[in-house]
mmCIF file of all heavy atoms in Angstrom:
data_model
loop_
_atom_site.group_PDB
_atom_site.id
_atom_site.type_symbol
_atom_site.label_atom_id
_atom_site.label_comp_id
_atom_site.label_asym_id
_atom_site.label_seq_id
_atom_site.Cartn_x
_atom_site.Cartn_y
_atom_site.Cartn_z
ATOM 1 N N MET A 1374 51.628 -64.285 -29.828
ATOM 2 C CA MET A 1374 51.850 -63.558 -31.024
ATOM 3 C C MET A 1374 52.038 -64.491 -32.170
ATOM 4 O O MET A 1374 52.719 -65.469 -31.965
ATOM 5 C CB MET A 1374 52.964 -62.524 -30.848
ATOM 6 C CG MET A 1374 53.187 -61.714 -32.085
ATOM 7 S SD MET A 1374 54.348 -60.361 -31.881
ATOM 8 C CE MET A 1374 55.681 -61.077 -31.040
ATOM 9 N N CYS A 1375 51.470 -64.191 -33.245
ATOM 10 C CA CYS A 1375 51.740 -64.892 -34.501
ATOM 11 C C CYS A 1375 51.477 -64.093 -35.739
ATOM 12 O O CYS A 1375 50.736 -63.105 -35.630
ATOM 13 C CB CYS A 1375 50.938 -66.213 -34.512
ATOM 14 S SG CYS A 1375 49.125 -66.001 -34.543
ATOM 15 N N LYS A 1376 51.923 -64.522 -36.856
ATOM 16 C CA LYS A 1376 51.573 -63.808 -38.061
ATOM 17 C C LYS A 1376 50.199 -64.129 -38.539
ATOM 18 O O LYS A 1376 49.691 -65.209 -38.385
ATOM 19 C CB LYS A 1376 52.538 -64.273 -39.211
ATOM 20 C CG LYS A 1376 54.024 -63.823 -38.998
ATOM 21 C CD LYS A 1376 54.889 -64.389 -39.991
ATOM 22 C CE LYS A 1376 54.738 -63.670 -41.358
ATOM 23 N NZ LYS A 1376 55.748 -63.935 -42.341
ATOM 24 N N ALA A 1377 49.543 -63.132 -39.144
ATOM 25 C CA ALA A 1377 48.161 -63.208 -39.587
ATOM 26 C C ALA A 1377 48.020 -64.395 -40.638
ATOM 27 O O ALA A 1377 47.039 -65.089 -40.705
ATOM 28 C CB ALA A 1377 47.650 -61.939 -40.136
ATOM 29 N N THR A 1378 49.092 -64.582 -41.443
ATOM 30 C CA THR A 1378 49.068 -65.635 -42.441
ATOM 31 C C THR A 1378 48.914 -67.017 -41.888
ATOM 32 O O THR A 1378 48.571 -67.976 -42.491
ATOM 33 C CB THR A 1378 50.185 -65.556 -43.376
ATOM 34 O OG1 THR A 1378 51.463 -65.519 -42.676
ATOM 35 C CG2 THR A 1378 50.116 -64.266 -44.263
ATOM 36 N N ALA A 1379 49.274 -67.181 -40.537
ATOM 37 C CA ALA A 1379 49.264 -68.476 -39.908
ATOM 38 C C ALA A 1379 47.960 -68.777 -39.288
ATOM 39 O O ALA A 1379 47.715 -69.819 -38.798
ATOM 40 C CB ALA A 1379 50.346 -68.546 -38.851
ATOM 41 N N VAL A 1380 47.021 -67.776 -39.303
ATOM 42 C CA VAL A 1380 45.631 -67.930 -38.597
ATOM 43 C C VAL A 1380 44.625 -68.214 -39.693
ATOM 44 O O VAL A 1380 44.410 -67.463 -40.607
ATOM 45 C CB VAL A 1380 45.291 -66.701 -37.894
ATOM 46 C CG1 VAL A 1380 43.990 -66.884 -37.148
ATOM 47 C CG2 VAL A 1380 46.350 -66.339 -36.815
ATOM 48 N N LYS A 1381 43.960 -69.369 -39.574
ATOM 49 C CA LYS A 1381 42.910 -69.816 -40.487
ATOM 50 C C LYS A 1381 41.562 -69.633 -39.770
ATOM 51 O O LYS A 1381 41.337 -70.137 -38.776
ATOM 52 C CB LYS A 1381 43.038 -71.174 -40.845
ATOM 53 C CG LYS A 1381 44.313 -71.548 -41.497
ATOM 54 C CD LYS A 1381 44.523 -73.085 -41.722
ATOM 55 C CE LYS A 1381 45.897 -73.351 -42.173
ATOM 56 N NZ LYS A 1381 46.173 -74.711 -42.176
ATOM 57 N N VAL A 1382 40.706 -68.712 -40.376
ATOM 58 C CA VAL A 1382 39.442 -68.441 -39.741
ATOM 59 C C VAL A 1382 38.319 -69.090 -40.537
ATOM 60 O O VAL A 1382 38.214 -69.132 -41.721
ATOM 61 C CB VAL A 1382 39.201 -66.874 -39.817
ATOM 62 C CG1 VAL A 1382 37.910 -66.512 -39.061
ATOM 63 C CG2 VAL A 1382 40.392 -66.178 -39.138
ATOM 64 N N LEU A 1395 40.473 -71.104 -31.366
ATOM 65 C CA LEU A 1395 40.029 -70.058 -30.518
ATOM 66 C C LEU A 1395 38.696 -69.469 -31.093
ATOM 67 O O LEU A 1395 38.596 -69.108 -32.207
ATOM 68 C CB LEU A 1395 41.084 -68.961 -30.484
ATOM 69 C CG LEU A 1395 42.446 -69.372 -30.101
ATOM 70 C CD1 LEU A 1395 43.495 -68.206 -30.384
ATOM 71 C CD2 LEU A 1395 42.527 -69.763 -28.606
ATOM 72 N N GLN A 1398 34.318 -63.631 -32.635
ATOM 73 C CA GLN A 1398 33.321 -63.046 -33.502
ATOM 74 C C GLN A 1398 33.971 -62.091 -34.492
ATOM 75 O O GLN A 1398 34.911 -61.379 -34.181
ATOM 76 C CB GLN A 1398 32.319 -62.166 -32.617
ATOM 77 C CG GLN A 1398 30.902 -62.362 -33.000
ATOM 78 C CD GLN A 1398 30.014 -61.574 -32.008
ATOM 79 O OE1 GLN A 1398 30.424 -60.696 -31.308
ATOM 80 N NE2 GLN A 1398 28.773 -61.904 -32.097
ATOM 81 N N VAL A 1400 34.702 -59.024 -36.668
ATOM 82 C CA VAL A 1400 34.425 -57.607 -36.532
ATOM 83 C C VAL A 1400 34.701 -56.818 -37.802
ATOM 84 O O VAL A 1400 34.255 -55.721 -38.017
ATOM 85 C CB VAL A 1400 35.272 -56.936 -35.440
ATOM 86 C CG1 VAL A 1400 34.841 -57.452 -34.032
ATOM 87 C CG2 VAL A 1400 36.768 -57.179 -35.524
ATOM 88 N N ARG A 1401 35.520 -57.408 -38.730
ATOM 89 C CA ARG A 1401 35.703 -56.784 -40.048
ATOM 90 C C ARG A 1401 36.279 -57.827 -41.028
ATOM 91 O O ARG A 1401 36.999 -58.753 -40.654
ATOM 92 C CB ARG A 1401 36.786 -55.649 -39.870
ATOM 93 C CG ARG A 1401 37.133 -54.845 -41.106
ATOM 94 C CD ARG A 1401 38.159 -53.822 -40.912
ATOM 95 N NE ARG A 1401 39.425 -54.355 -40.596
ATOM 96 C CZ ARG A 1401 40.337 -54.850 -41.470
ATOM 97 N NH1 ARG A 1401 39.996 -54.909 -42.761
ATOM 98 N NH2 ARG A 1401 41.503 -55.330 -41.102
ATOM 99 N N THR A 1402 35.900 -57.635 -42.301
ATOM 100 C CA THR A 1402 36.489 -58.491 -43.361
ATOM 101 C C THR A 1402 36.908 -57.587 -44.421
ATOM 102 O O THR A 1402 36.316 -56.487 -44.768
ATOM 103 C CB THR A 1402 35.518 -59.520 -43.850
ATOM 104 O OG1 THR A 1402 34.391 -58.895 -44.540
ATOM 105 C CG2 THR A 1402 34.964 -60.501 -42.801
ATOM 106 N N SER A 1403 37.930 -57.949 -45.169
ATOM 107 C CA SER A 1403 38.340 -57.191 -46.421
ATOM 108 C C SER A 1403 38.914 -58.197 -47.379
ATOM 109 O O SER A 1403 39.729 -59.142 -47.018
ATOM 110 C CB SER A 1403 39.373 -56.131 -46.111
ATOM 111 O OG SER A 1403 40.551 -56.716 -45.651
ATOM 112 N N ALA A 1409 40.080 -63.717 -48.034
ATOM 113 C CA ALA A 1409 39.562 -62.546 -47.251
ATOM 114 C C ALA A 1409 40.288 -62.457 -45.920
ATOM 115 O O ALA A 1409 40.431 -63.452 -45.192
ATOM 116 C CB ALA A 1409 38.107 -62.685 -47.057
ATOM 117 N N GLU A 1410 40.798 -61.261 -45.661
ATOM 118 C CA GLU A 1410 41.420 -61.002 -44.281
ATOM 119 C C GLU A 1410 40.245 -60.759 -43.332
ATOM 120 O O GLU A 1410 39.339 -60.056 -43.649
ATOM 121 C CB GLU A 1410 42.270 -59.774 -44.426
ATOM 122 C CG GLU A 1410 42.943 -59.470 -43.128
ATOM 123 C CD GLU A 1410 43.850 -58.182 -43.189
ATOM 124 O OE1 GLU A 1410 44.956 -58.374 -43.664
ATOM 125 O OE2 GLU A 1410 43.337 -57.181 -42.845
ATOM 126 N N VAL A 1411 40.330 -61.411 -42.159
ATOM 127 C CA VAL A 1411 39.319 -61.327 -41.192
ATOM 128 C C VAL A 1411 39.904 -60.810 -39.876
ATOM 129 O O VAL A 1411 40.826 -61.360 -39.349
ATOM 130 C CB VAL A 1411 38.618 -62.748 -40.956
ATOM 131 C CG1 VAL A 1411 37.516 -62.642 -39.882
ATOM 132 C CG2 VAL A 1411 38.138 -63.266 -42.279
ATOM 133 N N SER A 1412 39.299 -59.703 -39.331
ATOM 134 C CA SER A 1412 39.582 -59.251 -37.959
ATOM 135 C C SER A 1412 38.540 -59.836 -37.036
ATOM 136 O O SER A 1412 37.285 -59.765 -37.360
ATOM 137 C CB SER A 1412 39.596 -57.725 -37.893
ATOM 138 O OG SER A 1412 40.601 -57.248 -38.690
ATOM 139 N N LEU A 1413 38.955 -60.393 -35.910
ATOM 140 C CA LEU A 1413 37.962 -60.918 -35.024
ATOM 141 C C LEU A 1413 38.263 -60.573 -33.575
ATOM 142 O O LEU A 1413 39.496 -60.240 -33.238
ATOM 143 C CB LEU A 1413 37.894 -62.481 -35.152
ATOM 144 C CG LEU A 1413 39.195 -63.219 -34.998
ATOM 145 C CD1 LEU A 1413 38.871 -64.520 -34.221
ATOM 146 C CD2 LEU A 1413 39.671 -63.626 -36.292
ATOM 147 N N THR A 1414 37.299 -60.578 -32.719
ATOM 148 C CA THR A 1414 37.440 -60.478 -31.296
ATOM 149 C C THR A 1414 37.229 -61.786 -30.652
ATOM 150 O O THR A 1414 36.150 -62.446 -30.818
ATOM 151 C CB THR A 1414 36.500 -59.458 -30.720
ATOM 152 O OG1 THR A 1414 36.754 -58.180 -31.314
ATOM 153 C CG2 THR A 1414 36.754 -59.297 -29.210
ATOM 154 N N LEU A 1415 38.235 -62.368 -29.994
ATOM 155 C CA LEU A 1415 38.171 -63.602 -29.321
ATOM 156 C C LEU A 1415 37.174 -63.528 -28.133
ATOM 157 O O LEU A 1415 37.019 -62.463 -27.597
ATOM 158 C CB LEU A 1415 39.548 -64.117 -28.822
ATOM 159 C CG LEU A 1415 40.584 -64.270 -30.017
ATOM 160 C CD1 LEU A 1415 41.871 -64.670 -29.365
ATOM 161 C CD2 LEU A 1415 40.074 -65.221 -31.008
ATOM 162 N N LEU A 1419 40.494 -60.486 -26.555
ATOM 163 C CA LEU A 1419 41.629 -60.116 -27.328
ATOM 164 C C LEU A 1419 41.236 -60.023 -28.830
ATOM 165 O O LEU A 1419 40.302 -60.733 -29.258
ATOM 166 C CB LEU A 1419 42.778 -61.194 -27.137
ATOM 167 C CG LEU A 1419 43.426 -61.311 -25.758
ATOM 168 C CD1 LEU A 1419 44.365 -62.409 -25.678
ATOM 169 C CD2 LEU A 1419 44.065 -60.014 -25.391
ATOM 170 N N SER A 1420 42.024 -59.272 -29.599
ATOM 171 C CA SER A 1420 41.830 -59.202 -31.046
ATOM 172 C C SER A 1420 42.859 -60.025 -31.751
ATOM 173 O O SER A 1420 43.932 -60.176 -31.297
ATOM 174 C CB SER A 1420 41.950 -57.692 -31.503
ATOM 175 O OG SER A 1420 41.011 -56.912 -30.855
ATOM 176 N N MET A 1421 42.402 -60.470 -32.952
ATOM 177 C CA MET A 1421 43.255 -61.298 -33.833
ATOM 178 C C MET A 1421 42.964 -61.022 -35.291
ATOM 179 O O MET A 1421 41.777 -60.702 -35.548
ATOM 180 C CB MET A 1421 43.118 -62.729 -33.467
ATOM 181 C CG MET A 1421 44.023 -63.737 -34.181
ATOM 182 S SD MET A 1421 43.950 -65.377 -33.451
ATOM 183 C CE MET A 1421 45.263 -65.263 -32.348
ATOM 184 N N VAL A 1422 43.937 -61.210 -36.201
ATOM 185 C CA VAL A 1422 43.700 -61.096 -37.575
ATOM 186 C C VAL A 1422 44.085 -62.398 -38.253
ATOM 187 O O VAL A 1422 45.107 -62.967 -37.880
ATOM 188 C CB VAL A 1422 44.453 -59.908 -38.215
ATOM 189 C CG1 VAL A 1422 44.282 -59.878 -39.644
ATOM 190 C CG2 VAL A 1422 44.009 -58.604 -37.540
ATOM 191 N N GLY A 1423 43.262 -62.902 -39.173
ATOM 192 C CA GLY A 1423 43.674 -64.054 -39.902
ATOM 193 C C GLY A 1423 42.995 -64.020 -41.275
ATOM 194 O O GLY A 1423 42.527 -62.952 -41.775
ATOM 195 N N PHE A 1424 43.001 -65.192 -41.952
ATOM 196 C CA PHE A 1424 42.465 -65.235 -43.277
ATOM 197 C C PHE A 1424 41.409 -66.365 -43.383
ATOM 198 O O PHE A 1424 41.636 -67.431 -42.876
ATOM 199 C CB PHE A 1424 43.560 -65.526 -44.316
ATOM 200 C CG PHE A 1424 44.458 -64.284 -44.527
ATOM 201 C CD1 PHE A 1424 45.495 -64.122 -43.699
ATOM 202 C CD2 PHE A 1424 44.116 -63.397 -45.513
ATOM 203 C CE1 PHE A 1424 46.367 -63.002 -43.813
ATOM 204 C CE2 PHE A 1424 44.955 -62.249 -45.640
ATOM 205 C CZ PHE A 1424 46.065 -61.987 -44.826
ATOM 206 N N ALA A 1425 40.296 -66.092 -44.085
ATOM 207 C CA ALA A 1425 39.228 -67.028 -44.195
ATOM 208 C C ALA A 1425 39.688 -68.144 -45.172
ATOM 209 O O ALA A 1425 40.316 -67.914 -46.089
ATOM 210 C CB ALA A 1425 37.996 -66.346 -44.771
ATOM 211 N N CYS A 1437 32.893 -67.250 -35.171
ATOM 212 C CA CYS A 1437 33.919 -67.853 -35.926
ATOM 213 C C CYS A 1437 34.864 -68.572 -35.081
ATOM 214 O O CYS A 1437 34.885 -68.458 -33.841
ATOM 215 C CB CYS A 1437 34.618 -66.814 -36.813
ATOM 216 S SG CYS A 1437 35.440 -65.588 -35.952
ATOM 217 N N VAL A 1438 35.769 -69.285 -35.665
ATOM 218 C CA VAL A 1438 36.882 -70.020 -35.086
ATOM 219 C C VAL A 1438 38.115 -69.686 -35.735
ATOM 220 O O VAL A 1438 38.261 -69.771 -36.983
ATOM 221 C CB VAL A 1438 36.610 -71.556 -34.982
ATOM 222 C CG1 VAL A 1438 37.797 -72.291 -34.391
ATOM 223 C CG2 VAL A 1438 35.271 -71.898 -34.217
ATOM 224 N N ALA A 1439 39.205 -69.346 -34.889
ATOM 225 C CA ALA A 1439 40.540 -69.068 -35.494
ATOM 226 C C ALA A 1439 41.353 -70.346 -35.134
ATOM 227 O O ALA A 1439 41.388 -70.768 -33.968
ATOM 228 C CB ALA A 1439 41.111 -67.802 -34.917
ATOM 229 N N GLN A 1440 42.031 -70.924 -36.119
ATOM 230 C CA GLN A 1440 42.927 -72.082 -35.863
ATOM 231 C C GLN A 1440 44.263 -71.657 -36.258
ATOM 232 O O GLN A 1440 44.567 -71.077 -37.323
ATOM 233 C CB GLN A 1440 42.399 -73.280 -36.675
ATOM 234 C CG GLN A 1440 43.222 -74.480 -36.404
ATOM 235 C CD GLN A 1440 42.716 -75.686 -37.166
ATOM 236 O OE1 GLN A 1440 41.825 -75.639 -37.988
ATOM 237 N NE2 GLN A 1440 43.220 -76.862 -36.865
ATOM 238 N N LEU A 1441 45.244 -72.008 -35.397
ATOM 239 C CA LEU A 1441 46.684 -71.770 -35.685
ATOM 240 C C LEU A 1441 47.526 -72.894 -35.372
ATOM 241 O O LEU A 1441 47.242 -73.604 -34.376
ATOM 242 C CB LEU A 1441 47.159 -70.463 -35.035
ATOM 243 C CG LEU A 1441 46.908 -70.310 -33.537
ATOM 244 C CD1 LEU A 1441 48.175 -69.735 -32.939
ATOM 245 C CD2 LEU A 1441 45.697 -69.464 -33.297
#
Side-chain angles (χ1 to χ4, degrees):
M1374 176 170 48
C1375 63
K1376 292 177 74 172
T1378 53
V1380 180
K1381 300 172 187 169
V1382 183
L1395 306 170
Q1398 224 175 16
V1400 293
R1401 186 181 64 80
T1402 63
S1403 66
E1410 183 181 276
V1411 180
S1412 296
L1413 57 139
T1414 299
L1415 301 177
L1419 296 175
S1420 297
M1421 183 169 267
V1422 177
F1424 289 88
C1437 63
V1438 174
Q1440 183 177 7
L1441 51 140

